[in-house]
Amino acid sequence: ALTGARRIAWGAILAMVVLVPLVMTDFTLPGLQTRLAFGSTGIVKLSVEIVLALVALGAWAWDLLRNGGCIRHTPLDWLILAWLGWVAITTVTSIHWPMSLFGLPGRYEGFLTFVVYALIYFLVLQFADTPARVRRLAQALFLTSLIVSVYGLLQYAGVVFVPEGMMGGRAFSTYGHPMYLGGFLVFTVTVSLGLALQEPRPIWRLFYWTGFALNELALIVTATRSAWASAVFSLVVLGIMVWRQRITVRPLDGFSFATCVALSAGLLWHVYRRDLIGGRGASLVDFSTGTGRERTLYWQAAVDAIKERPILGWGSDTSHIWFDRFTPLTWMRRVDSDFLSAEDAHNLPLQLASSVGVPGALLFFGIFAWAGIRSFHTVFSRASGSTGMIVGAFWAGAVGYLVHLLLAYSTVGITLFLWIALAVVLVPTARTAAVRARKRGTLAAVALLVVLAIGIGYQGVVLAADSSYVAAETEDGMSSRPYDQRVESALRAVELNPYNYKYRIGVGSMYLEELSGVASAVAAARETGQDTAQYAESLGSSFTDAESAFKEAIAFAPDLYVNYVNLASVYVLAGSALDEELYQRVFAVAERALQAKPLGIEIRMQLAEALPGLERTDEAIETLERCMEITPGGVGPALLLADVYQKAGRHADALALLRSVDALRPNHPDIAAAIRRLEAEDSQP
């Protein structure tokens, strides 16, 4: 029986299983169509994980320190501690330690998150020690999956408002992205089926089969190939367990299975007719085109990054940095934006090896390999007990999710279930160690609760910082807020959370926006012959603020390419409107930017903007021609180079360039308009 404190701890664990998949900052229903901010789903899910994990830890420790009890442990715990120790070392040696400590904004899989995963594993190991609790854990996951699945199906059906074109018509539910939703459903389809096959009561058995069907249908409308393949694999593994455990298959199961197959076939046909999948299923192993080709480019960059730092890696969650450094040329020719980078290698072994080094990757997979071997007899034995099928479902779901991560990437709202599954499958082989009540147990418990309360309170600070950052953005109607208020919000975000590099960029972007507006006004005044003295003060002020903000951003994250592009754009704008001598400052910035991203296009374009102002047009042409070598179909560099050609009197070269880009990017409106303009000039006498 659980004491009051232990009931709180167990309740917090169950609440985590239910709430983490559901929580998000934006919810849309007919008549209530709020802004969708997918980047914020990760942070709020992680905050809920942390708060409930700390509540559970505090309640468990309060009871243990005051009353004594027992601690469950396995030999695997030492390997987990060794892995966390190694990740801590790689955080210290990281190319950017704040990012490795807290995680990349939007992903948040830094060292502290790994500690939270391990804590969740430990707590589940303490409580999921009876068949009833294992079943309750599975039921909690099942119930929350019903809401997630139904919401995703409503999105697909158009009942829930989704902006036109968002995610290409694929369901994403409360996870913000089809790939994330697919990863979650890999777990829930197996757990749903495990509950159904373990349930003796017909009504409840049918209820679980219904939930399985909803999960399966929601998985289909994610149109996520890696999740499809992984779910099929995990269900095959579960089928082998059914055979090994001699689970009785009833007529109800046959009817339910046939119904699921019929519904799935019908929905697959509908999804195909909507052209959401087309050849997606067949292209799962095709790495020559589409997203398959993109993944091979992620992997190529990851391999190069691993070769550079094979032992300690670059630090957890720093893919955004090292990918720029090792960006393949083919990648640059496939994407439209210089700032599209990889936040993950889209392959867990490569991601871990590049972030925490080859030893860290081996330790991680050693944990799950050892757990799989240690629990193999438990889930495949013919005497697996009353919850053997449910434990087996967690085992199969974990294996399926790891397979999914060979082509996808981990996210905080799902990977916690991997660690929960790890604990569930190890509970039957765990040992117990008795712990006596301490003389000063109450004092120690109070001290621990104070520390945990600070950790819980800090999550409020983190969320408040993110809220301030969102309030400073210009997207989705936010630009209607007064400029001063937006700047204040951006500064507030940095003040509350100075370890998020995006917040610092947000401050600089506010000032750069003002500088751009003033520079445009100066240019317009000069064209009409007006006096520009009225703009001198605001021009100087906005320049100083923008320069200072981006220099601070660079000092905080000196290896981030985007910071240098932003600072260069400040000098280009100020050079055109304030003082041409400021163009000189672009050169040093460009040199450092090209160290961060050797194939950078945007920084070369900024350099090419500055060079003509210093009467170095030939160098500008050479710089832009290099851009066109890197990205022959690049629209931005082509338009700028054509303009420079024109000013240099090379009209024919400008037209030939634009036509070559038009052949690669047919019917692009900007290129087509530029061609028409030049052809019109040719037709004039």
Side-chain angles (χ1 to χ4, degrees):
L2 296 177
T3 64
R6 289 175 66 84
R7 285 196 190 97
I8 292 174
W10 176 235
I13 292 171
L14 293 176
M16 183 192 306
V17 172
V18 172
L19 292 178
V20 168
L22 298 181
V23 293
M24 56 181 180
T25 56
D26 303 273
F27 203 81
T28 56
L29 290 172
L32 182 63
Q33 300 171 1
T34 59
R35 184 171 64 93
L36 295 175
F38 296 126
S40 60
T41 59
I43 192 171
V44 70
K45 289 182 186 298
L46 177 60
S47 291
V48 170
E49 282 180 36
I50 292 173
V51 168
L52 292 175
L54 294 183
V55 168
L57 176 62
W60 174 80
W62 174 269
D63 181 75
L64 185 73
L65 291 172
R66 296 175 70 247
N67 303 317
C70 64
I71 296 178
R72 288 179 181 81
H73 62 93
T74 76
L76 203 67
D77 300 348
W78 294 108
L79 190 58
I80 293 173
L81 288 174
W83 180 66
L84 288 177
W86 183 264
V87 176
I89 293 171
T90 64
T91 299
V92 174
T93 61
S94 170
I95 194 171
H96 190 248
W97 70 263
M99 193 177 294
S100 293
L101 182 64
F102 298 100
L104 179 71
R107 276 180 39 83
Y108 309 106
E109 283 216 325
F111 172 68
L112 292 182
T113 301
F114 294 140
V115 171
V116 173
Y117 290 156
L119 174 60
I120 291 170
Y121 155 81
F122 176 78
L123 290 169
V124 173
L125 192 67
Q126 305 312 305
F127 285 94
D129 60 332
T130 67
R133 289 184 200 148
V134 171
R135 186 178 293 107
R136 187 62 58 85
L137 201 63
Q139 288 170 338
L141 180 57
F142 171 79
L143 291 174
T144 198
S145 76
L146 295 183
I147 301 173
V148 173
S149 297
V150 169
Y151 185 48
L153 290 168
L154 290 176
Q155 285 176 338
Y156 176 77
V159 176
V160 175
F161 172 78
V162 177
E164 185 177 355
M166 183 69 74
M167 301 299 171
R170 300 160 63 193
F172 49 84
S173 191
T174 57
Y175 274 93
H177 195 285
M179 182 177 66
Y180 301 159
L181 176 59
F184 172 72
L185 294 172
V186 168
F187 269 108
T188 59
V189 292
T190 55
V191 171
S192 300
L193 187 55
L195 282 167
L197 295 174
Q198 193 82 62
E199 178 58 52
R201 296 165 294 181
I203 295 298
W204 282 99
R205 199 173 183 106
L206 180 61
F207 178 60
Y208 290 133
W209 268 108
T210 302
F212 170 78
L214 290 171
N215 278 262
E216 183 185 30
L217 295 176
L219 179 62
I220 289 172
V221 296
T222 65
T224 302
R225 297 161 297 174
S226 58
W228 290 348
S230 303
V232 170
F233 180 79
S234 63
L235 291 175
V236 169
V237 171
L238 197 64
I240 296 172
M241 293 179 189
V242 171
W243 170 65
R244 288 289 301 166
Q245 294 184 25
R246 295 183 177 177
I247 300 296
T248 301
V249 178
R250 304 178 182 180
L252 174 62
D253 300 325
F255 170 78
S256 300
F257 177 76
T259 302
C260 289
V261 170
L263 290 173
S264 298
L267 186 57
L268 274 169
W269 175 248
H270 190 269
V271 169
Y272 179 81
R273 291 291 299 273
R274 286 183 63 176
D275 199 28
L276 292 187
I277 52 175
R280 291 183 68 85
S283 63
L284 179 61
V285 293
D286 180 6
F287 297 108
S288 61
T289 60
T291 56
R293 178 56 175 155
E294 287 182 9
R295 280 176 171 78
T296 64
L297 297 175
Y298 296 147
W299 301 342
Q300 178 183 332
V303 169
D304 290 339
I306 294 166
K307 289 178 180 177
E308 186 79 14
R309 299 180 69 167
I311 304 301
L312 294 172
W314 297 81
S316 299
D317 236 8
T318 57
S319 304
H320 193 58
I321 295 177
W322 60 249
F323 185 82
D324 278 345
R325 187 169 299 193
F326 299 103
T327 302
L329 180 61
T330 306
W331 170 269
M332 296 299 298
R333 292 176 175 174
R334 289 176 58 87
V335 300
D336 292 326
S337 173
D338 202 23
F339 301 123
L340 282 177
S341 185
E343 296 182 350
D344 189 282
H346 284 68
N347 176 279
L348 186 59
L350 291 177
Q351 174 64 18
L352 287 171
S354 60
S355 60
V356 297
V358 174
L362 292 176
L363 282 171
F364 178 88
F365 286 106
I367 292 170
F368 289 93
W370 189 356
I373 294 170
R374 186 177 177 86
S375 59
F376 189 86
H377 179 75
T378 301
V379 297
F380 287 97
S381 170
R382 294 183 177 178
S384 296
S386 60
T387 56
M389 198 71 257
I390 299 176
V391 174
F394 276 103
W395 198 95
V399 171
Y401 183 61
L402 287 171
V403 172
H404 171 65
L405 293 182
L406 294 178
L407 292 172
Y409 53 87
S410 171
T411 184
V412 292
I414 308 170
T415 301
L416 84 154
F417 295 109
L418 179 65
W419 290 84
I420 288 174
L422 180 68
V424 168
V425 302
L426 288 176
V427 164
T429 59
R431 303 169 185 171
T432 59
V435 177
R436 289 193 235 172
R438 302 297 177 183
K439 290 183 179 180
R440 298 183 180 179
T442 300
L443 182 62
V446 169
L448 177 62
L449 289 181
V450 170
V451 173
L452 296 179
I454 293 173
I456 292 171
Y458 183 68
Q459 292 310 302
V461 176
V462 170
L463 293 176
D466 200 60
S467 177
S468 293
Y469 174 69
V470 171
E473 292 181 319
T474 60
E475 299 177 328
D476 303 310
M478 297 302 292
S479 58
S480 61
R481 297 185 69 224
Y483 172 77
D484 289 344
Q485 291 183 17
R486 291 173 51 224
V487 170
E488 183 180 352
S489 294
L491 290 170
R492 179 65 173 164
V494 175
E495 180 184 354
L496 290 171
N497 185 359
Y499 300 108
N500 189 317
Y501 79 90
K502 285 190 175 181
Y503 297 168
R504 294 174 180 270
I505 294 176
V507 172
S509 297
M510 296 293 101
Y511 295 134
L512 181 58
E513 179 184 329
E514 183 183 38
L515 175 62
S516 179
V518 178
S520 297
V522 169
R526 285 175 178 171
E527 287 182 2
T528 58
Q530 297 178 16
D531 183 17
T532 61
Q534 59 181 314
Y535 301 108
E537 183 177 351
S538 59
L539 189 62
S541 174
S542 59
F543 164 70
T544 301
D545 289 339
E547 181 189 38
S548 176
F550 286 125
K551 281 186 173 181
E552 288 182 11
I554 288 172
F556 177 71
D559 294 290
L560 275 173
Y561 169 73
V562 64
N563 286 333
Y564 297 104
V565 175
N566 287 328
L567 182 57
S569 65
V570 169
Y571 292 138
V572 168
L573 282 171
S576 64
L578 188 63
D579 185 351
E580 291 187 350
E581 287 300 315
L582 292 172
Y583 285 137
Q584 295 283 357
R585 301 187 186 183
V586 176
F587 302 126
V589 176
E591 183 179 355
R592 295 185 65 186
L594 292 174
Q595 292 174 0
K597 186 168 186 173
L599 296 180
I601 296 297
E602 288 291 338
I603 192 62
R604 286 182 166 90
M605 290 177 63
Q606 294 295 336
L607 186 59
E609 293 266 19
L611 285 165
L614 299 172
E615 298 183 355
R616 297 164 65 175
T617 302
D618 289 344
E619 293 179 54
I621 290 174
E622 182 181 347
T623 299
L624 290 170
E625 287 177 342
R626 173 56 180 156
C627 289
M628 298 310 301
E629 290 176 5
I630 297 172
T631 58
V635 173
L639 293 172
L640 182 56
L641 179 54
D643 184 61
V644 177
Y645 277 154
Q646 277 283 91
K647 291 176 180 178
R650 297 171 58 178
H651 179 87
D653 289 337
L655 190 56
L657 169 67
L658 293 173
R659 285 172 175 166
S660 70
V661 175
D662 184 59
L664 296 172
R665 304 285 297 276
N667 302 319
H668 190 283
D670 294 336
I671 295 295
I675 290 174
R676 286 194 299 270
R677 187 168 55 252
L678 289 180
E679 289 177 339
E681 292 178 6
D682 282 346
S683 63
Q684 293 177 359

